[in-house]
């Protein structure tokens, strides 16, 4: 009878054990955990791999505080990896009490210089992050490795000098190189401490020994712990991937004086300023003295009580704080009285083996074998079901049904417009990081092979849900754009949180890469003029020939792709907007690149076709001068456009023009310069349309290739084509009439000094 009773008990225990094991089986790489109160809705992912994700950070929309605190958990890695924003920078550690984030930081510059012993001896680059992050002043430093180099580090709005260091490689009288020390102290390697925590830095490397026929250097931004092994001067042994510590703030304003900060949700939290913020402002939240935890969630800061105050008794065990109530208990693996010294005793292993334990072991082993064999199959089915449901959710969320309806109504859109996530994962080897070919303000671009064609797949940053409908309409509009100077949109995938766009692949790089090469020789003047005309044709087509006008909003040399024949292709429509035909413009959030951005659009937020005209004018200035608009500054603090126009008015434009094209051109430089000045007028009403700019460039090319220049205000050639010719005096008069002193002051103020 006892045997039967024991068997029934064993069976009951086995069933319960199975249910518990099923509940404890891992599902996916990281099980989502409910967010703390005030830290997003339930179901927020709070870990990725071995990294915790505390609020205000989060992965899913609604689970993080604001833009900048959004993260991406890439589960294609084993273990999963965590990235900032859209996935370009890997996160190694997040600390809420310290208000820091540690990230992977590869080398800033790794280059060689070989100019035959003369010529260019200076190299410039930048390092930066976006709000709410700043380079930490506590532990970081800049390392430079090379021979006979001086490195200057500048930062802030005023481009202040933060630090400087020099590295040399001395030799003895016999010409043998002296071995470097184990520390980075100036022999083959030097370092600059970060004493001002800015978000952006300018780095300038000067090569000091002009007698060397070649030289090379590597620049790194690292925190206090880095790997460095000294060796011969020609071998650089700092690891190419290091860690950098970033400070962050919850707001870039000051702490409220009339009450608590809205971000500090815990009752025992307060608003405070970072311990070191000489290079930036903003505030953080912290738990008040006597408590610890997360101040950004309700009840996140808990009281720390000494053990002798628990219930008026001394706690000799483990003191636990549950929602503000303290409990004293014996440590794990012990039992007894935790309020008595030595009152907790170790649990001894029983040496008595009963019939019940034997049967429990046998039945338990059988059930575990069944679970081991059938568990993987069940888990695969559950995962497959979850993936399918997630794809359906995102497809509906991204208005995929709306896009299907629009495609069915418009026969001009190809049936291949809708592409599945499975196809894109196969095309990119599951979005392998080695397939990344570019990135920018709007997302990351992967190279892939789809239907035996090489394509570029753009993974955009998170889109606000209320703009999804407009995004779908823009996809429909851009899918109908068919122009030889516009990168063709081939399709899109709506089965991810952020829609993926598929474009034709252009293999020859960007105009920026071809124009700003090292050395005095760049693109010939004929190619620059032709590329400018092709860009003008593309913009004119987008503005006036499509079913709904499309404004690009981010025209710059790095967004102009060149094919193998150097034919221009306008790309990156991540910031573009379409405008209904019955409207002349819309008011929208300002997007674009400083240096190319229309000042009137920047201040009013009103987007029109003349905003693209201004950016095109800046592009013309860049083609004429080979200067970079976003970094160029004169000694007086003027930007490239204002300095260009000033020299044009004074008749001294030759001082700024690229010397290479002065030798190549046949008198078109001043014509193009006047067009650039007209396109960059402050008042949008004074600028030409893109169609007018296109016609003027076409006339210049016709005149250059077919007819001689006749000194007349305007006329028509034998092909009935309008020809513009101006003397130097007329150029100066025209430019002076376009810009007044008041315009110059306003234009100068639009560019930060």
């Amino acid at each position: 009878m006892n045997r039967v009773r024991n068997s029934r008990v064993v069976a009951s225990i086995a069933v319960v054990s199975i249910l518990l094991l099923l509940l404890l089986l891992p599902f996916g790489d990281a099980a989502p955990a409910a967010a703390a109160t005030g830290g997003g809705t339930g179901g927020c992912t709070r870990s990725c791999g071995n990294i915790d994700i505390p609020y205000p950070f989060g992965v899913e929309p609604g689970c993080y505080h604001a833009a900048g605190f959004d993260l991406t958990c890439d589960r294609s890695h084993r273990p999963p990896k965590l990235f900032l924003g859209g996935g370009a920078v890997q996160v190694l550690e997040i600390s809420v009490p310290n208000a820091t984030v540690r990230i992977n930081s590869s080398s800033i510059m790794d280059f060689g210089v070989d100019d035959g012993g003369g010529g260019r001896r200076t190299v410039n680059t930048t390092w930066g992050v976006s709000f709410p992050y700043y380079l930490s002043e506590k532990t970081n430093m800049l390392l430079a490795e090379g021979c006979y180099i001086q490195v200057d580090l500048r930062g802030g709005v005023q481009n202040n000098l933060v630090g400087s260091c020099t590295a040399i490689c001395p030799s003895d009288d016999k010409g043998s190189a002296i071995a470097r020390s184990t520390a980075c102290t100036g022999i083959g390697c030097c370092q600059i401490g970060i004493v001002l925590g800015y978000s952006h830095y300018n780095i300038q490397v000067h090569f000091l020994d002009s007698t060397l026929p070649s030289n090379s250097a590597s620049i790194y931004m690292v925190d206090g712990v880095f790997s460095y092994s000294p060796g011969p001067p020609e071998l650089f042994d700092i690891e190419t991937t290091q860690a950098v510590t970033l400070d962050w703030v919850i707001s870039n304003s000051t702490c409220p004086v009339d009450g608590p900060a809205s971000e500090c949700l815990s009752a025992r939290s307060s608003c405070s300023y970072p311990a070191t913020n000489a290079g930036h402002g903003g505030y953080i939240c912290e738990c008040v003295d006597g408590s610890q935890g997360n101040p950004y969630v309700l009840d996140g800061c808990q009281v720390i009580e000494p053990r002798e105050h628990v219930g008026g008794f001394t706690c000799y065990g483990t003191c636990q704080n549950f929602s503000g109530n303290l409990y004293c208990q014996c440590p794990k693996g012990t039992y007894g009285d935790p309020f008595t010294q030595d009152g907790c005793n170790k649990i001894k292993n029983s040496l008595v083996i009963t019939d019940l334990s034997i049967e429990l072991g046998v039945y338990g082993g059988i059930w575990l074998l069944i679970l081991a064999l059938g568990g993987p199959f069940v888990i695969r089915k559950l995962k497959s079901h979850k993936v399918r449901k997630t794809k359906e959710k995102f497809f509906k969320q991204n208005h995929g049904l709306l896009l299907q309806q629009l495609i069915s109504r418009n026969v001009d859109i190809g049936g291949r417009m809708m592409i599945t996530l499975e196809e894109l994962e196969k095309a990119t080897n599951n979005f392998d990081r080695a397939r990344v070919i570019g990135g920018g303000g709007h997302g990351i671009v992967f190279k892939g092979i789809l239907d035996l064609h090489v394509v570029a797949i753009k993974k955009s940053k998170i889109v606000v849900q209320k703009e999804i409908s407009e995004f779908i309409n823009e996809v429909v509009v851009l899918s109908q754009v068919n122009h030889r100077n516009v990168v063709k949109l081939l399709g899109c995938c709506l089965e991810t949180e952020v829609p993926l766009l598929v474009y034709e692949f252009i293999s020859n790089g960007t105009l920026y890469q071809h124009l700003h090469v090292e050395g005095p020789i760049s693109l010939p003047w004929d190619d620059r003029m032709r590329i400018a005309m092709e860009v003008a044709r593309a913009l004119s087509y987008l503005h006036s020939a499509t079913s709904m006008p499309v404004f690009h909003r981010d025209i710059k040399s790095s967004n102009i792709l060149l094919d193998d024949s150097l034919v221009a292709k306008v790309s990156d429509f991540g910031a573009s907007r379409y405008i209904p035909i019955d409207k002349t413009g819309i008011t929208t959030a300002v997007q674009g690149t400083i240096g190319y951005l229309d000042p009137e659009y920047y201040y009013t937020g009103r987007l029109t076709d003349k905003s693209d005209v201004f950016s095109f004018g800046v592009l013309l200035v860049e083609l004429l001068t080979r200067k970079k608009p976003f970094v160029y500054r004169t000694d007086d603090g003027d930007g490239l456009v204002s300095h260009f126009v000033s020299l044009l008015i004074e008749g001294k434009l030759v001082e700024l023009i690229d010397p290479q094209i002065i030798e190549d051109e046949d008198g078109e430089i001043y014509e193009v310069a006047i067009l650039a000045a007209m396109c960059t007028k402050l008042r949008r009403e004074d600028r030409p349309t893109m169609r007018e700019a296109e016609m003027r460039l076409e006339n210049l090319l016709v005149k250059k290739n077919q007819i001689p220049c006749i000194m007349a205000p305007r006329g028509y050639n034998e092909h009935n084509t309008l020809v513009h010719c101006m003397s130097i005096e007329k150029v100066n008069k025209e430019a002076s009439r376009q810009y007044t002193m008041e315009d110059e002051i306003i234009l100068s103020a639009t560019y930060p000094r």
Side-chain angles (χ1 to χ4, degrees):
M1 181 66 69
N2 290 334
R3 174 73 64 178
V4 174
R5 184 182 299 111
N6 289 343
S7 299
R8 291 176 178 174
V9 172
V10 169
S12 301
I13 293 175
V15 172
V16 173
S17 300
I18 293 168
L19 294 175
L20 290 175
L21 286 171
L22 285 174
L23 292 175
L24 294 175
L25 280 174
F27 188 82
D29 298 311
T37 305
T41 59
C44 296
T45 299
R46 287 301 167 205
S47 66
C48 181
N50 57 355
I51 301 177
D52 292 331
I53 307 176
Y55 189 82
F57 296 86
V59 175
E60 297 86 357
C63 292
Y64 51 86
H65 170 65
F69 293 92
D70 53 315
L71 307 174
T72 296
C73 184
D74 190 347
R75 293 184 172 85
S76 62
H77 300 274
R78 291 294 181 272
K81 292 184 179 181
L82 191 63
F83 296 88
L84 289 180
V89 178
Q90 184 183 357
V91 176
L92 302 178
E93 181 184 0
I94 299 174
S95 174
V96 170
N98 297 328
T100 59
V101 171
R102 292 188 78 229
I103 62 173
N104 257 354
S105 175
S106 58
S107 63
I108 300 172
M109 291 195 299
D110 194 1
F111 53 85
V113 176
D114 189 352
D115 56 9
R120 182 186 67 81
R121 310 302 298 174
T122 300
V123 176
N124 295 280
T125 190
T126 60
W127 185 97
V129 292
S130 301
F131 178 82
Y133 303 102
Y134 303 90
L135 189 62
S136 177
E137 307 165 24
K138 304 171 187 176
T139 61
N140 295 306
M141 64 183 67
L142 182 143
L143 295 184
E145 199 168 31
C147 292
Y148 300 103
I149 60 173
Q150 175 185 331
V151 182
D152 294 336
L153 179 66
R154 298 178 179 272
V157 176
Q158 301 295 332
N159 205 28
N160 301 318
L161 182 64
V162 176
S164 181
C165 74
T166 302
I168 63 173
C169 298
S171 304
D172 57 20
D173 295 337
K174 298 179 181 180
S176 300
I178 298 176
R180 291 179 284 177
S181 65
T182 57
C184 187
T185 56
I187 305 301
C189 175
C190 68
Q191 62 189 39
I192 302 175
I194 305 300
V195 296
L196 291 172
Y198 293 118
S199 60
H200 289 79
Y201 294 87
N202 293 320
I203 303 167
Q204 190 172 57
V205 181
H206 308 278
F207 292 89
L208 304 177
D209 193 345
S210 61
T211 63
L212 295 176
S214 64
N215 208 339
S216 58
S218 297
I219 306 298
Y220 306 84
M221 194 72 77
V222 301
D223 60 11
V225 180
F226 62 93
S227 174
Y228 172 65
S229 301
E234 67 273 14
L235 297 177
F236 298 150
D237 300 313
I238 295 179
E239 294 183 0
T240 56
T241 300
Q242 301 287 346
V244 168
T245 300
L246 303 179
D247 287 337
W248 53 268
V249 292
I250 198 68
S251 172
N252 59 359
S253 59
T254 57
C255 289
V257 296
D258 55 349
S262 60
E263 296 88 352
C264 306
L265 297 181
S266 179
R268 299 188 61 81
S269 65
S270 63
C271 177
S272 65
Y273 299 101
T276 55
N277 66 343
H280 63 84
Y283 63 80
I284 60 176
C285 299
E286 63 180 10
C287 294
V288 298
D289 292 339
S291 62
Q292 63 183 8
N294 190 336
Y296 301 102
V297 298
L298 293 175
D299 300 326
C301 296
Q302 298 294 326
V303 177
I304 305 173
E305 289 286 352
R307 61 175 56 182
E308 53 267 17
H309 289 171
V310 178
F313 299 93
T314 301
C315 178
Y316 293 96
T318 302
C319 181
Q320 299 287 341
N321 187 331
F322 297 99
S323 301
N325 297 317
L326 301 178
Y327 297 89
C328 183
Q329 60 186 18
C330 286
K332 186 178 181 180
T334 64
Y335 71 101
D337 184 4
F339 296 100
T340 302
Q341 190 171 6
D342 299 327
C344 295
N345 302 311
K346 290 186 178 180
I347 300 175
K348 297 180 180 180
N349 294 327
S350 176
L351 299 178
V352 180
I353 303 177
T354 65
D355 293 340
L356 179 62
S357 62
I358 295 175
E359 293 183 9
L360 182 61
V362 173
Y363 284 107
I366 294 174
W367 282 111
L368 286 176
L369 179 61
I370 294 174
L371 289 174
L373 295 176
F377 174 77
V378 174
I379 291 175
R380 283 197 299 270
K381 286 295 183 181
L382 292 175
K383 284 186 175 181
S384 176
H385 178 74
K386 182 180 179 181
V387 170
R388 185 173 68 255
K389 287 295 184 182
T390 301
K391 289 181 179 179
E392 292 175 357
K393 168 191 168 186
F394 288 139
F395 187 82
K396 294 178 181 178
Q397 178 179 296
N398 292 331
H399 298 272
L401 298 177
L402 172 61
L403 181 58
Q404 285 181 334
Q405 293 175 1
L406 293 174
I407 291 176
S408 63
R409 296 173 187 171
N410 197 324
V411 296
D412 295 332
I413 303 178
R416 198 68 179 90
M417 193 65 194
M418 306 289 287
I419 303 175
T420 66
L421 178 60
E422 183 179 359
E423 291 177 293
L424 295 187
E425 288 175 339
K426 183 178 180 181
T428 60
N429 193 19
N430 201 20
F431 294 101
D432 188 351
R433 305 297 298 182
R435 298 288 186 93
V436 175
I437 58 173
H442 304 299
I444 305 174
V445 181
F446 293 84
K447 181 181 179 181
I449 300 178
L450 187 65
D451 295 337
L452 301 180
H453 291 89
V454 181
V455 296
I457 302 168
K458 183 174 181 180
K459 190 175 185 180
S460 301
K461 292 185 177 179
I462 291 178
V463 179
V464 179
Q465 284 301 310
K466 67 180 182 180
E467 296 180 354
I468 289 291
S469 297
E470 297 179 357
F471 166 82
I472 295 301
N473 281 294
E474 290 183 35
V475 168
V476 174
V477 172
L478 292 177
S479 66
Q480 301 174 71
V481 171
N482 187 14
H483 192 278
R484 72 187 301 266
N485 300 122
V486 177
V487 174
K488 179 66 176 175
L489 176 66
L490 303 177
C492 67
C493 173
L494 304 180
E495 295 178 350
T496 57
E497 181 180 1
V498 180
L500 304 175
L501 300 178
V502 181
Y503 293 93
E504 65 173 319
F505 179 73
I506 307 300
S507 61
N508 204 14
T510 67
L511 173 59
Y512 178 92
Q513 295 168 336
H514 285 265
L515 186 62
H516 299 291
V517 296
E518 303 296 343
I521 305 302
S522 180
L523 284 172
W525 172 240
D526 289 348
D527 285 334
R528 297 189 202 184
M529 280 194 65
R530 177 184 50 77
I531 290 171
M533 186 188 68
E534 290 173 345
V535 174
R537 282 176 176 172
L539 292 178
S540 176
Y541 170 81
L542 292 173
H543 289 183
S544 58
T546 56
S547 58
M548 282 181 285
V550 179
F551 299 164
H552 190 281
R553 282 208 293 185
D554 199 16
I555 292 297
K556 56 184 177 182
S557 57
S558 58
N559 281 343
I560 308 300
L561 302 181
L562 301 178
D563 66 10
D564 294 335
S565 301
L566 295 182
V567 174
K569 303 273 189 177
V570 177
S571 70
D572 197 348
F573 287 84
S576 64
R577 295 296 300 272
Y578 75 90
I579 308 297
I581 296 178
D582 59 346
K583 295 184 179 180
T584 58
I586 61 170
T587 301
T588 180
V590 176
Q591 291 192 41
T593 302
I594 294 299
Y596 298 87
L597 192 61
D598 174 13
E600 190 165 355
Y601 169 47
Y602 177 80
Y603 283 109
T604 65
R606 183 163 181 80
L607 176 68
T608 69
D609 59 335
K610 297 300 181 68
S611 302
D612 282 349
V613 173
F614 185 92
S615 301
F616 177 74
V618 178
L619 181 66
L620 290 179
V621 175
E622 186 176 0
L623 289 170
L624 287 167
T625 63
R626 253 183 88 192
K627 307 294 183 185
K628 301 175 183 178
F630 52 89
V631 297
Y632 183 86
R633 290 291 180 274
T634 65
D635 294 338
D636 297 330
D638 290 336
L640 178 60
V641 172
S642 57
H643 189 211
F644 178 88
V645 174
S646 298
L647 293 180
L648 177 64
I649 294 173
E650 297 170 3
K652 301 178 180 179
L653 190 58
V654 69
E655 299 177 7
L656 193 61
I657 297 297
D658 182 6
Q660 173 192 345
I661 67 173
I662 294 179
E663 301 176 0
D664 296 343
E665 64 97 24
D666 293 328
E668 307 89 13
I669 285 182
Y670 276 91
E671 294 277 1
V672 177
I674 290 175
L675 178 58
M678 293 172 63
C679 291
T680 53
K681 295 279 285 183
L682 288 179
R683 297 177 67 251
R684 64 168 63 99
E685 294 83 1
D686 297 334
R687 303 171 197 160
T689 63
M690 282 310 310
R691 177 58 180 158
E692 292 169 342
E694 175 194 3
M695 292 177 61
R696 189 150 186 168
L697 287 172
E698 285 180 347
N699 291 335
L700 285 176
L701 289 176
V702 169
K703 178 177 65 177
K704 178 180 178 63
N705 296 329
Q706 298 184 11
I707 62 172
C709 181
I710 303 173
M711 297 306 297
R714 60 172 56 189
Y716 291 85
N717 61 14
E718 59 184 0
H719 302 289
N720 200 31
T721 302
L722 183 62
V723 180
H724 299 272
C725 296
M726 290 190 181
S727 64
I728 300 300
E729 293 78 8
K730 187 166 181 119
V731 168
N732 295 336
K733 181 178 180 182
E734 174 100 359
S736 299
R737 189 167 63 250
Q738 294 168 3
Y739 276 81
T740 65
M741 183 59 69
E742 180 183 3
D743 289 341
E744 282 295 307
I745 296 173
I746 296 175
L747 180 60
S748 177
T750 63
Y751 294 93
R753 295 172 178 256

